[in-house]
Amino acid sequence: MINAMLVMLGIGAVLGLVLSIGSIVFHVEVDPREAKVTEMLPGYNCGACGFPGCSGLAHSMTTGEVTTFACKVAKPEAKQAIIEYLATTPDAEGKTITIK
């Protein structure tokens, strides 16, 4: 019984170590603007913009894949706030995004 517990403890420790090293090696940096734009969007995840939810649209806007504001359900105030935010907040390289 004690041998089985020690073996399970050892396996758990090894797998925990592998997972912690993997999380460091395969870490992906996320643009903080993407999370902010996702919060500013309405959050309906309707897909009317042609992207898979609001987070997909936010990713496309922060990477510069789209040049026009595609969210059809956002209020004009929210639309203008997002456009101004992307125009005034640079990414890690110092570039800003211009969206019409």
Side-chain angles (χ1 to χ4, degrees):
M1 181 77 166
I2 292 178
N3 286 338
M5 289 181 5
L6 291 175
V7 168
M8 293 303 288
L9 182 65
I11 291 172
V14 169
L15 291 178
L17 181 64
V18 169
L19 285 174
S20 64
I21 291 171
S23 70
I24 294 169
V25 171
F26 298 112
H27 178 72
V28 177
E29 289 294 327
V30 178
D31 189 351
R33 298 178 305 160
E34 186 175 329
K36 179 69 174 169
V37 171
T38 302
E39 289 175 13
M40 296 169 82
L41 287 168
Y44 295 142
N45 293 324
C46 60
C49 58
F51 292 94
C54 293
S55 60
L57 176 60
H59 175 74
S60 298
M61 285 195 290
T62 56
T63 58
E65 293 176 22
V66 295
T67 56
T68 58
F69 194 82
C71 183
K72 297 178 181 4
V73 297
K75 294 181 180 178
E77 302 87 32
K79 175 182 176 179
Q80 190 60 34
I82 293 169
I83 291 172
E84 288 175 8
Y85 176 75
L86 290 174
T88 58
T89 308
D91 62 0
E93 298 173 356
K95 296 185 290 185
T96 58
I97 305 292
T98 305
I99 295 179
K100 299 175 191 175

